[in-house]
Amino acid sequence: MLPKSLRARLLAAFVLPTLALFGLAGAAGYGLARGLLEDELGRSLAAVAGATASQVSAERLLGISAGDDEAGTRTYRNLHRQLDDARVAAGVRRVFAFDREGRVRVDAGGALPVGAEVPELARDRLELARVFAGTPASSQVLFEGNDGRWYRTGYAPLVQDGNVIGAIGVEGSAAFFGPLRQLVRLYAAWLVSALLVLGLVAVLTARTLAAPLNRLVASALRIGGGDLATKVPPEPTVEIGILARELEEMRRGLEGRDRQLKMMLAGVAHEVRNPIGGIELFAGLLQEELPEGEAREHVLRIRSETHYLKRIVEDFLAFAREQRVARAPLLPRRLLEAARDLVQADALGKQVAFELAAEEAALVGDESLLTSALVNLV
């Protein structure tokens, strides 16, 4: 199987840049859109405040004093109705008028009595400085109302005889937050969908790359395991096709050198086997002619070593002939007994006794090759 690190790297290469790019772009777009909408809301509220201030009589506003709201004086009622009509027409939450000391004169849509200080004004001191200088302004901070919605305040100066004697404040909700949040949710859903699609593409791409690479790995493992006869299949992909061709060239080179080596071993084995046979024959004749003694023991040792050399030559020939493995069912005890019988003579000469121990089991293998391996080990 292809290591998972390749899939992980492809997945990271597809997904992470997309997540970073579109995530940052989305965050930047959201921040920019929110900033633009907040600025537009502030300008709209300041414009509503300016339009309302142009319709309010500053002289009548200054004529309102504490207790007029409870007494319901005509001046208070007229101004309150005027501000409330402006509030309803503009679709805002609150329209209120206050003097330069920050005390309420009329509060339409609010609950502050006449003469009470407006706590929000402390938050907007910088903006109010511009307003009392004669320029409309809006607060730079959104605040959350009791209803859980976000609001902003716009201000416009009240002018009498060229002097600013107070201001009109207009509180409006940031209604765009609802559609903006919905847009963010849609964008997030789109981003997740895009990441899933890219993840699927990365996985499919990894599988597409994995298939030819796995075939190359299997070919390399076969060559490493000694199978030089199976050809490396060609690959259609240019880069991987080059690797396949080079691997096939390497296999053919190894196959050629292996064939030459086996031919050389076969030739050497044939050349060596003939003199070994002669040595074995003449050593046997010499053994028969010599009487019991040290010389006879030396001849026996020569015959033993000659037998060992002959077995090595046979192994060379078996390797050169590329002996195939003939798998067949066999029994462990029978295998051990066959190996024991072949070395029994040498064992008796060295006063070695065999004890066989084998559990009953069903094995599958080449009995001849396994017997030779056991004989060599013993």
Side-chain angles (χ1 to χ4, degrees), residues 97-168:
F98 56 94
D99 55 27
R100 293 184 67 96
E101 286 74 29
R103 298 185 180 278
V104 173
R105 294 304 176 99
V106 179
D107 188 1
L112 293 178
V114 176
E117 294 184 355
V118 183
E120 294 87 349
L121 301 183
R123 177 195 61 210
D124 300 330
R125 289 192 300 271
L126 296 178
E127 290 79 5
L128 289 175
R130 293 170 54 194
V131 172
F132 290 141
T135 304
S138 63
S139 62
Q140 299 299 313
V141 180
L142 288 173
F143 62 92
E144 187 175 6
N146 296 329
D147 55 1
R149 301 175 67 180
W150 293 91
Y151 291 89
R152 195 169 184 177
T153 308
Y155 301 101
L158 279 171
V159 181
Q160 182 182 23
D161 299 331
N163 297 319
V164 178
I165 55 91
I168 297 294

Side-chain angles (χ1 to χ4, degrees), residues 58-302:
E59 182 179 359
R60 294 175 61 190
L61 185 68
L62 290 177
I64 296 176
S65 58
D68 285 358
D69 51 342
E70 296 180 357
T73 62
R74 175 185 293 183
T75 301
Y76 176 81
R77 285 188 286 107
N78 289 337
L79 286 175
H80 188 278
R81 183 173 59 253
Q82 188 177 8
L83 294 184
D84 194 56
D85 291 342
R87 179 185 68 83
V88 173
V92 295
R93 184 180 75 160
R94 179 186 180 196
V95 178
F96 57 97
F98 56 94
D99 55 27
R100 293 184 67 96
E101 286 74 29
R103 298 185 180 278
V104 173
R105 294 304 176 99
V106 179
D107 188 1
L112 293 178
V114 176
E117 294 184 355
V118 183
E120 294 87 349
L121 301 183
R123 177 195 61 210
D124 300 330
R125 289 192 300 271
L126 296 178
E127 290 79 5
L128 289 175
R130 293 170 54 194
V131 172
F132 290 141
T135 304
S138 63
S139 62
Q140 299 299 313
V141 180
L142 288 173
F143 62 92
E144 187 175 6
N146 296 329
D147 55 1
R149 301 175 67 180
W150 293 91
Y151 291 89
R152 195 169 184 177
T153 308
Y155 301 101
L158 279 171
V159 181
Q160 182 182 23
D161 299 331
N163 297 319
V164 178
I165 55 91
I168 297 294
V170 177
E171 287 184 3
S173 67
F176 59 85
F177 268 114
L180 190 60
R181 288 196 185 99
Q182 185 177 4
L183 181 62
V184 169
R185 286 193 292 269
L186 291 175
Y187 184 82
W190 173 85
L191 182 59
V192 170
S193 301
L195 293 177
L196 290 176
V197 171
L198 288 175
L200 180 61
V201 171
V203 172
L204 294 178
T205 303
R207 288 185 177 179
T208 303
L209 291 176
L213 289 177
N214 282 334
R215 289 193 291 269
L216 284 181
V217 169
S219 298
L221 291 176
R222 284 198 306 269
I223 294 173
D227 181 7
L228 301 177
T230 305
K231 294 183 178 181
V232 178
E235 297 294 342
T237 307
V238 176
E239 294 79 2
I240 301 179
I242 294 174
L243 290 177
R245 287 195 299 271
E246 293 298 323
L247 190 60
E248 172 62 15
E249 289 293 330
M250 182 184 71
R251 182 200 67 80
R252 284 193 292 215
L254 291 174
E255 185 182 23
R257 285 192 290 271
D258 184 68
R259 189 181 302 110
Q260 293 175 359
L261 176 61
K262 289 178 179 179
M263 291 175 61
M264 183 183 67
L265 285 177
V268 171
H270 281 294
E271 293 297 328
V272 173
R273 185 168 59 173
N274 293 330
I276 288 178
I279 294 172
E280 188 177 25
L281 174 62
F282 289 112
L285 294 175
L286 184 60
Q287 180 183 355
E288 293 177 358
E289 295 178 1
L290 289 174
E292 294 292 339
E294 185 176 355
R296 187 182 177 88
E297 293 295 330
H298 289 326
V299 173
L300 287 174
R301 182 63 181 270
I302 291 173

